[in-house]
Amino acid sequence: DTAVSQTPKYLVTQMGNDKSIKCEQNLGHDTMYWYKQDSKKFLKIMFSYNNKELIINETVPNRFSPKSPDKAHLNLHINSLELGDSAVYFCASSLGPRGYIQYFGAGTRLSVL
Amino acid sequence: KNEVEQSPQNLTAQEGEFITINCSYSVGISALHWLQQHPGGGIVSLFMLSSGKKKHGRLIATINIQEKHSSLHITASHPRDSAVYICAVRETSGSRLTFGEGTQLTVNP
């Protein structure tokens, strides 16, 4: 069983579309994260939820909206996609918000045409 | 300037060589993480440390809190060690990780 699973693995879409990426973890962790990795492979935190509560909200456009229906799921919805949104998006989870190793999903490669 | 700097950016080694990747940071931290990103893109946590040294197989991670510096060592390197190695720090004041830009390691047979 995959510990942190993201879907889809690849997403190719047109500018202006709205898309969602889903993430689920079966580790019983309380904390989940979304990261963006740009073309230079630089990872940056976008959001983090702890027990369904938003605890990290970095400076990202309002077009990005995370949703955590329960502790095991953290979805990322992106409105009005732009070319600059093309990147690999990683979901991760950890036992708690501080002092714990993070477990990463396999990533979702988003290409906006 | 990044809060987390790694060196070198790229490293090519021959199989069997001892490898060192360095990470320096400029903020107060509660923990430092070393991650490995495989050529296929997957990310794996290797170590989390806040002091001293940790060892797992051929991998050793050390940290010097006073000098704000950590090293990742790989002994008897192997082509399967080829990956991007990423250093990340958790600041004392917060819960987010700040990442270095990664070190691309290539080990040739």
Side-chain angles (χ1 to χ4, degrees):
Chain A
D1 269 350
T2 305
V4 182
S5 58
Q6 294 179 230
T7 54
K9 195 169 170 57
Y10 299 97
L11 186 50
V12 181
T13 188
Q14 299 286 335
M15 256 190 344
N17 283 351
D18 302 339
K19 289 293 176 187
S20 290
I21 307 171
K22 295 188 174 186
C23 180
E24 176 181 1
Q25 54 94 3
N26 63 4
L27 297 166
H29 288 170
D30 282 349
T31 311
M32 296 184 73
Y33 312 81
W34 275 113
Y35 292 97
K36 180 179 180 181
Q37 186 175 46
D38 60 27
S39 56
K40 292 185 179 178
K41 302 285 192 180
F42 194 49
L43 272 164
K44 287 188 85 169
I45 181 75
M46 298 175 71
F47 302 103
S48 177
Y49 273 72
N50 185 55
N51 261 321
K52 301 194 299 175
E53 188 179 324
L54 183 65
I55 57 169
I56 296 176
N57 186 0
E58 289 295 297
T59 310
V60 299
N62 290 340
R63 299 180 294 103
F64 289 78
S65 54
K67 277 197 172 51
S68 182
D70 55 58
K71 275 191 339 180
H73 296 85
L74 180 60
N75 303 322
L76 183 65
H77 189 74
I78 316 169
N79 287 328
S80 303
L81 278 155
E82 298 178 358
L83 293 176
D85 298 332
S86 296
V88 182
Y89 293 84
F90 284 95
C91 176
S93 74
S94 61
L95 208 53
R98 298 175 71 114
Y100 296 98
I101 283 179
Q102 295 185 16
Y103 294 80
F104 286 78
T108 295
R109 183 173 295 276
L110 171 65
S111 299
V112 183
L113 307 177
Chain B
K1 193 175 178 348
N2 280 349
E3 291 169 340
V4 182
E5 298 273 346
Q6 286 186 236
S7 63
Q9 278 191 313
N10 292 284
L11 179 55
T12 301
Q14 287 301 120
E15 185 172 354
E17 284 183 5
F18 180 83
I19 288 170
T20 296
I21 298 170
N22 296 300
C23 176
S24 297
Y25 51 92
S26 56
V27 294
I29 69 167
S30 58
L32 183 142
H33 297 245
W34 281 103
L35 308 165
Q36 179 193 55
Q37 185 165 25
H38 299 294
I43 297 176
V44 174
S45 288
L46 298 175
F47 296 103
M48 182 182 71
L49 61 168
S50 53
S51 66
K53 175 176 162 176
K54 286 192 176 179
K55 185 175 190 291
H56 187 254
R58 294 179 296 105
L59 301 177
I60 303 166
T62 64
I63 188 168
N64 185 320
I65 296 292
Q66 285 73 31
E67 294 186 4
K68 292 189 160 73
H69 181 268
S70 174
S71 292
L72 176 69
H73 304 286
I74 306 176
T75 61
S77 60
H78 190 276
R80 65 173 174 266
D81 297 326
S82 298
V84 176
Y85 291 84
I86 303 168
C87 171
V89 301
R90 182 181 304 282
E91 295 180 36
T92 316
S93 58
S95 54
R96 70 184 178 105
L97 287 181
T98 303
F99 294 82
E101 293 191 8
T103 295
Q104 172 70 62
L105 170 66
T106 304
V107 182
N108 293 319

